């Protein structure tokens, strides 16, 4: 296991490098999931830094994840936008998957806005829907792969952080309000995190439905947990890029191409919500 010192040094090196590249303080970290990277092109006064240049950041290996950090302003809010993220299934340890969140905390951010592509499990959901994440089920964490396992980083937060208020209700209400005004249908539900990279079997999907999941994906909850550990507020939004095949006889099998394609279709509505929430000032 990577030692506490090594993790702290990675975080500090990334922060030192980023401060030297751009001295501005961040207010929010925005993580863009599969097919949603285009929002980063709208950042004003942008400084774009490939992950490969930032100490401790792992280059994104997944097609559709550009792998760069864009620092600047969105709707007048100082943001750092992650155009692509690191995933557990790429082989990165969870402390590294979540490193950007801790870096963001030290750069001044108190809010994290996380988006992802997810498979719809709730029977009412259709491809192209957007879901406000109201809660999550961390199956990866429950199976023993949790981003806070190991020595606790006391400087960030407590050994046993609570998770009953993981998703900020005020930010969630703002997202609902913005969506209503923009005439965008915004669903709400529970996101289940699996490790991937294989998609789920029909039996696994039936299990996920039974335990109360509305959507399933391979990211997000690690970042959310580390953000909450550090006392940051979290808004989470899932783009439903495919719907679950609860029996092998229904629909078509999911594919990464389908996920990317639907992500691009979802992007304008997702961006309208994100811009609207940021324009509200995050207070
Ligand atoms: N399962 C897991 N992760 C996903 C899916 C899915 O169906 N769609 C997009 N990400």
């Amino acid at each position: 296991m990577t030692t506490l010192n090594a993790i702290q040094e990675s975080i500090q090196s990334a922060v030192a490098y980023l401060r030297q590249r751009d001295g501005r303080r961040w207010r929010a970290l925005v993580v863009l999931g599969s097919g949603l990277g285009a929002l980063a092109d709208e950042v004003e006064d942008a400084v774009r830094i490939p992950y490969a240049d930032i100490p401790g950041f792992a280059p994104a290996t997944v097609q559709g994840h550009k792998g760069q950090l864009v620092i600047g302003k969105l709707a007048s809010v100082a943001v750092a936008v992650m155009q692509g993220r690191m995933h557990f299934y790429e082989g990165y340890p969870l402390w590294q998957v979540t490193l950007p969140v801790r870096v963001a905390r030290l750069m001044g951010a108190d809010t994290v806005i996380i988006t992802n592509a997810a498979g719809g499990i709730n029977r009412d959901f259709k491809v192209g829907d957007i879901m406000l994440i109201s809660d999550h089920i961390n199956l990866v964490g429950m199976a023993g792969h949790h981003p806070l396992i190991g020595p606790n980083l006391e400087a960030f937060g407590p050994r046993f952080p609570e998770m009953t208020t993981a998703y900020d209700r005020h930010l969630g209400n703002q997202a609902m309000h913005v969506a209503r005004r923009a005439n965008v249908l915004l669903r709400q539900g529970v996101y289940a995190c699996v490790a991937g990279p294989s998609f789920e079997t029909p039996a696994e999907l039936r299990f996920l439905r039974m335990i109360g999941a509305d959507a399933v994906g391979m990211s997000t909850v690690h970042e959310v947990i580390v953000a909450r550990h550090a006392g940051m507020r979290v808004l989470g939004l899932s783009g439903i890029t495919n719907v679950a095949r609860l029996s092998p006889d229904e629909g078509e099998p999911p594919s990464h191409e389908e996920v990317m394609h639907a992500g691009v279709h979802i992007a304008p509505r997702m961006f309208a919500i994100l811009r609207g929430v940021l324009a509200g000032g995050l207070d």
Side-chain angles (χ1 to χ4, degrees):
M1 186 182 293
T2 313
T3 65
L4 184 65
N5 276 347
I7 296 174
Q8 277 166 335
E9 271 165 31
S10 289
I11 297 168
Q12 293 298 346
S13 319
V15 169
Y17 175 80
L18 290 169
R19 283 206 179 122
Q20 162 250 314
R21 284 293 304 267
D22 186 282
R24 289 175 290 180
R25 211 177 147 78
W26 305 355
R27 176 71 204 280
L29 177 71
V30 180
V31 184
L32 299 175
S34 298
L36 300 171
L39 185 66
D41 299 334
E42 295 180 24
V43 174
E44 291 165 25
D45 303 327
V47 171
R48 296 169 205 280
I49 309 174
Y51 295 160
D53 292 354
I54 310 173
F57 275 50
T61 65
V62 188
Q63 186 226 329
H65 285 253
K66 198 157 184 178
Q68 71 176 4
L69 188 68
V70 183
I71 303 169
K73 287 206 154 184
L74 257 181
S76 303
V77 177
V79 292
V81 179
M82 290 182 68
Q83 210 167 10
R85 57 153 60 86
M86 288 71 108
H87 299 85
F88 188 49
Y89 63 72
E90 290 172 90
Y92 302 125
L94 288 175
W95 70 264
Q96 194 169 20
V97 168
T98 55
L99 181 119
V101 176
R102 287 178 166 146
V103 168
R105 184 79 195 101
L106 296 184
M107 294 299 288
D110 63 5
T111 302
V112 182
I113 299 178
I114 303 189
T115 65
N116 60 47
I121 292 176
N122 184 317
R123 285 284 193 190
D124 293 336
F125 289 6
K126 299 193 172 45
V127 171
D129 281 354
I130 301 176
M131 181 187 91
L132 173 69
I133 305 178
S134 57
D135 202 348
H136 72 220
I137 302 173
N138 183 8
L139 289 162
V140 181
M142 288 176 159
H145 298 283
H146 190 286
L148 301 179
I149 284 179
N152 183 44
L153 272 68
E154 291 289 331
F156 285 93
R159 171 77 291 186
F160 300 107
E162 76 90 20
M163 286 293 146
T164 63
T165 56
Y167 296 86
D168 190 85
R169 199 175 282 180
H170 177 67
L171 288 177
N173 285 341
Q174 273 190 310
M176 294 298 282
H177 178 71
V178 168
R180 231 179 348 259
R181 282 196 14 194
N183 218 8
V184 169
L185 172 68
L186 181 55
R187 306 209 178 251
Q188 275 196 68
V190 174
Y191 175 93
C193 174
V194 295
S198 57
F199 289 106
E200 300 71 40
T201 64
E204 287 166 344
L205 290 165
R206 291 195 300 273
F207 163 73
L208 292 173
R209 188 175 56 164
M210 206 183 295
I211 63 172
D214 295 292
V216 56
M218 305 174 191
S219 68
T220 300
V221 305
H222 322 298
E223 293 136 325
V224 170
I225 288 167
V226 167
R228 291 302 298 147
H229 178 247
M232 301 166 90
R233 295 193 303 167
V234 173
L235 173 68
L237 294 161
S238 291
I240 304 299
T241 55
N242 54 289
V243 286
R245 242 180 142 204
L246 297 168
S247 132
D249 302 324
E250 65 180 53
E252 291 294 315
S255 69
H256 186 59
E257 289 66 37
E258 178 188 29
V259 168
M260 292 304 300
H261 183 78
V264 171
H265 171 65
I266 288 164
R269 282 170 292 129
M270 184 72 95
F271 299 167
I273 297 173
L274 295 183
R275 266 194 302 265
V277 171
L278 288 169
L282 298 181
D283 293 319

